[in-house]
mmCIF file of all heavy atoms in Angstrom:
data_model
loop_
_atom_site.group_PDB
_atom_site.id
_atom_site.type_symbol
_atom_site.label_atom_id
_atom_site.label_comp_id
_atom_site.label_asym_id
_atom_site.label_seq_id
_atom_site.Cartn_x
_atom_site.Cartn_y
_atom_site.Cartn_z
ATOM 1 N N PHE A 262 138.316 100.051 134.131
ATOM 2 C CA PHE A 262 139.195 101.127 134.569
ATOM 3 C C PHE A 262 140.166 101.451 133.433
ATOM 4 O O PHE A 262 141.114 100.720 133.179
ATOM 5 C CB PHE A 262 139.929 100.710 135.834
ATOM 6 C CG PHE A 262 140.640 101.826 136.518
ATOM 7 C CD1 PHE A 262 140.157 103.120 136.477
ATOM 8 C CD2 PHE A 262 141.815 101.590 137.214
ATOM 9 C CE1 PHE A 262 140.804 104.145 137.120
ATOM 10 C CE2 PHE A 262 142.475 102.610 137.864
ATOM 11 C CZ PHE A 262 141.966 103.897 137.815
ATOM 12 N N VAL A 263 139.918 102.547 132.736
ATOM 13 C CA VAL A 263 140.656 102.870 131.514
ATOM 14 C C VAL A 263 142.149 103.062 131.772
ATOM 15 O O VAL A 263 142.975 102.535 131.015
ATOM 16 C CB VAL A 263 140.036 104.121 130.857
ATOM 17 C CG1 VAL A 263 140.877 104.594 129.682
ATOM 18 C CG2 VAL A 263 138.622 103.811 130.386
ATOM 19 N N PRO A 264 142.591 103.824 132.801
ATOM 20 C CA PRO A 264 144.043 103.988 132.990
ATOM 21 C C PRO A 264 144.782 102.667 133.158
ATOM 22 O O PRO A 264 145.879 102.493 132.613
ATOM 23 C CB PRO A 264 144.133 104.850 134.261
ATOM 24 C CG PRO A 264 142.837 105.600 134.301
ATOM 25 C CD PRO A 264 141.826 104.660 133.748
ATOM 26 N N ALA A 265 144.205 101.725 133.889
ATOM 27 C CA ALA A 265 144.863 100.430 134.059
ATOM 28 C C ALA A 265 144.933 99.680 132.729
ATOM 29 O O ALA A 265 145.957 99.066 132.396
ATOM 30 C CB ALA A 265 144.121 99.596 135.101
ATOM 31 N N GLY A 266 143.859 99.719 131.955
ATOM 32 C CA GLY A 266 143.880 99.049 130.657
ATOM 33 C C GLY A 266 144.894 99.660 129.710
ATOM 34 O O GLY A 266 145.567 98.922 128.961
ATOM 35 N N LEU A 267 145.037 100.980 129.726
ATOM 36 C CA LEU A 267 146.022 101.622 128.861
ATOM 37 C C LEU A 267 147.442 101.223 129.248
ATOM 38 O O LEU A 267 148.291 100.979 128.382
ATOM 39 C CB LEU A 267 145.857 103.148 128.944
ATOM 40 C CG LEU A 267 144.563 103.717 128.363
ATOM 41 C CD1 LEU A 267 144.484 105.213 128.610
ATOM 42 C CD2 LEU A 267 144.464 103.426 126.878
ATOM 43 N N VAL A 268 147.712 101.155 130.553
ATOM 44 C CA VAL A 268 149.054 100.767 130.994
ATOM 45 C C VAL A 268 149.355 99.325 130.595
ATOM 46 O O VAL A 268 150.459 99.008 130.108
ATOM 47 C CB VAL A 268 149.187 100.959 132.521
ATOM 48 C CG1 VAL A 268 150.506 100.382 133.013
ATOM 49 C CG2 VAL A 268 149.103 102.426 132.875
ATOM 50 N N GLU A 269 148.382 98.433 130.788
ATOM 51 C CA GLU A 269 148.611 97.043 130.408
ATOM 52 C C GLU A 269 148.829 96.906 128.906
ATOM 53 O O GLU A 269 149.710 96.148 128.448
ATOM 54 C CB GLU A 269 147.440 96.173 130.850
ATOM 55 C CG GLU A 269 147.692 94.699 130.634
ATOM 56 C CD GLU A 269 146.571 93.824 131.153
ATOM 57 O OE1 GLU A 269 145.518 94.381 131.544
ATOM 58 O OE2 GLU A 269 146.733 92.581 131.156
ATOM 59 N N ALA A 270 148.057 97.651 128.115
ATOM 60 C CA ALA A 270 148.236 97.587 126.664
ATOM 61 C C ALA A 270 149.602 98.131 126.262
ATOM 62 O O ALA A 270 150.286 97.550 125.405
ATOM 63 C CB ALA A 270 147.123 98.374 125.981
ATOM 64 N N ARG A 271 150.036 99.234 126.874
ATOM 65 C CA ARG A 271 151.362 99.782 126.555
ATOM 66 C C ARG A 271 152.463 98.801 126.957
ATOM 67 O O ARG A 271 153.492 98.699 126.267
ATOM 68 C CB ARG A 271 151.557 101.118 127.262
ATOM 69 C CG ARG A 271 150.698 102.251 126.702
ATOM 70 C CD ARG A 271 151.147 103.591 127.257
ATOM 71 N NE ARG A 271 150.360 104.692 126.715
ATOM 72 C CZ ARG A 271 149.379 105.311 127.378
ATOM 73 N NH1 ARG A 271 149.066 104.924 128.623
ATOM 74 N NH2 ARG A 271 148.700 106.303 126.815
ATOM 75 N N ALA A 272 152.252 98.115 128.080
ATOM 76 C CA ALA A 272 153.257 97.130 128.488
ATOM 77 C C ALA A 272 153.353 95.996 127.465
ATOM 78 O O ALA A 272 154.458 95.534 127.129
ATOM 79 C CB ALA A 272 152.909 96.578 129.866
ATOM 80 N N TYR A 273 152.221 95.535 126.956
ATOM 81 C CA TYR A 273 152.259 94.498 125.923
ATOM 82 C C TYR A 273 152.911 95.019 124.649
ATOM 83 O O TYR A 273 153.630 94.275 123.955
ATOM 84 C CB TYR A 273 150.842 94.014 125.629
ATOM 85 C CG TYR A 273 150.369 92.918 126.557
ATOM 86 C CD1 TYR A 273 149.221 93.093 127.326
ATOM 87 C CD2 TYR A 273 151.049 91.714 126.667
ATOM 88 C CE1 TYR A 273 148.775 92.096 128.190
ATOM 89 C CE2 TYR A 273 150.624 90.714 127.515
ATOM 90 C CZ TYR A 273 149.478 90.908 128.279
ATOM 91 O OH TYR A 273 149.056 89.915 129.121
ATOM 92 N N LEU A 274 152.662 96.289 124.323
ATOM 93 C CA LEU A 274 153.291 96.852 123.126
ATOM 94 C C LEU A 274 154.800 96.956 123.301
ATOM 95 O O LEU A 274 155.552 96.800 122.333
ATOM 96 C CB LEU A 274 152.691 98.229 122.828
ATOM 97 C CG LEU A 274 151.230 98.225 122.361
ATOM 98 C CD1 LEU A 274 150.723 99.646 122.198
ATOM 99 C CD2 LEU A 274 151.084 97.461 121.055
ATOM 100 N N ARG A 275 155.240 97.237 124.563
ATOM 101 C CA ARG A 275 156.692 97.251 124.804
ATOM 102 C C ARG A 275 157.290 95.868 124.593
ATOM 103 O O ARG A 275 158.463 95.739 124.222
ATOM 104 C CB ARG A 275 156.969 97.703 126.239
ATOM 105 C CG ARG A 275 156.524 99.131 126.556
ATOM 106 C CD ARG A 275 157.435 100.154 125.919
ATOM 107 N NE ARG A 275 156.985 101.505 126.211
ATOM 108 C CZ ARG A 275 157.366 102.213 127.289
ATOM 109 N NH1 ARG A 275 158.186 101.664 128.174
ATOM 110 N NH2 ARG A 275 156.924 103.436 127.462
#
Side-chain angles (χ1 to χ4, degrees):
F262 192 32
V263 173
L267 293 176
V268 172
E269 187 176 8
R271 290 192 179 102
Y273 274 122
L274 291 176
R275 297 287 179 89

